[in-house]
Amino acid sequence: EAGVTQFPSHSVIEKGQTVTLRCDPISGHDNLYWYRRVMGKEIKFLLHFVKESKQDESGMPNNRFLAERTGGTYSTLKVQPAELEDSGVYFCASSGTGYEQYFGPGTRLTVT
Amino acid sequence: GDSVTQMEGPVTLSEEAFLTINCTYTATGYPSLFWYVQYPGEGLQLLLKATKADDKGSNKGFEATYRKETTSFHLEKGSVQVSDSAVYFCAFQSGGSNYKLTFGKGTLLTVNP
């Protein structure tokens, strides 16, 4: 069974540019989560999808971040325009009916 | 607000040494508690869990006991191996319809041969 995959693994962009991160959850998992770890800090929750609906987006930092999950399969997280403080590692996770969340390897975003 | 405080790293040990990584939490209600591990170049993996007070989670020689009275979930292993070198994250999930995980900052463990 394929795990959670994320693309790209690393992205370097300039301040003001746009970046789109992609997450492919484990097939059949209705729940999809985005988290972010800024260097030296804790991993923080961004949002939670159930199928294509946003269940909880309380962790989204501001309106420069837009997450979508069209069709309830893969998800994208767009940052537009990117700021320096957006740098960090963005993790995606998915879960089925149980509590355990399965994490992807993360996308390291560097904004210069 | 909800938070997790875990031991600052990095922690460097020799092989076969005893490991403790402290973790305390602040949460409402009765959360489920977790330890996740991130090996170099990989995503986070669930290491062990405990869902109620006095439960002991265990896996791969690691153990942690849910202590409600001290709001703690310390990770221990009696004899670490080089392959245990990784970043360890303590986390909780409040439960109910709230699935989000609240994490600590992570503790980098390096085990030398």
Side-chain angles (χ1 to χ4, degrees), chain A residues 6-11 19-22 106-108:
Chain A
Q6 294 187 243
F7 182 83
S9 58
H10 193 183
S11 179
V19 64
T20 300
L21 314 181
R22 173 170 169 145
T107 293
R108 181 175 296 278

Side-chain angles (χ1 to χ4, degrees), chain B residues 3-100:
Chain B
S3 66
V4 173
T5 301
Q6 67 179 97
M7 197 167 92
E8 294 279 338
V11 174
T12 303
L13 296 173
S14 297
E15 206 164 22
E16 299 183 1
F18 184 83
L19 169 71
T20 299
I21 301 178
N22 291 334
C23 171
T24 57
Y25 64 91
T26 301
T28 53
Y30 303 97
S32 295
L33 305 178
F34 305 87
W35 277 98
Y36 279 81
V37 58
Q38 185 180 24
Y39 298 104
E42 299 183 15
L44 279 77
Q45 301 174 24
L46 178 63
L47 179 60
L48 53 83
K49 68 170 177 62
T51 57
K52 62 181 188 297
D54 300 325
D55 266 3
K56 178 185 282 188
S58 61
N59 186 25
K60 299 182 180 180
F62 290 90
E63 292 183 340
T65 301
Y66 190 143
R67 299 289 187 201
K68 188 172 182 296
E69 63 278 12
T70 55
T71 62
S72 65
F73 194 53
H74 305 320
L75 183 68
E76 297 183 335
K77 186 174 185 181
S79 176
V80 293
Q81 305 300 312
V82 172
S83 57
D84 294 327
S85 298
V87 182
Y88 292 81
F89 295 92
C90 184
F92 73 79
Q93 191 177 60
S94 293
S97 61
N98 186 349
Y99 291 95
K100 73 179 184 184

Side-chain angles (χ1 to χ4, degrees), chain A residues 15-80:
Chain A
K15 176 182 171 182
Q17 289 186 321
T18 297
V19 64
T20 300
L21 314 181
R22 173 170 169 145
C23 169
D24 286 78
I26 292 173
S27 177
H29 280 188
D30 287 340
N31 296 285
L32 187 148
Y33 313 82
W34 284 98
Y35 294 85
R36 176 174 74 172
R37 187 186 189 202
V38 172
M39 186 179 295
K41 302 277 182 94
E42 62 274 13
I43 299 171
K44 285 206 165 180
F45 168 83
L46 296 179
L47 88 159
H48 170 205
F49 282 100
V50 178
K51 296 185 180 178
E52 67 275 8
S53 299
K54 292 176 185 174
Q55 177 79 6
D56 180 356
E57 53 184 328
S58 61
M60 293 289 265
N62 52 60
N63 59 11
R64 295 185 294 102
F65 289 75
L66 175 64
E68 295 180 321
R69 193 183 182 195
T70 308
T73 55
Y74 72 91
S75 174
T76 57
L77 180 64
K78 180 190 287 189
V79 185
Q80 179 182 31

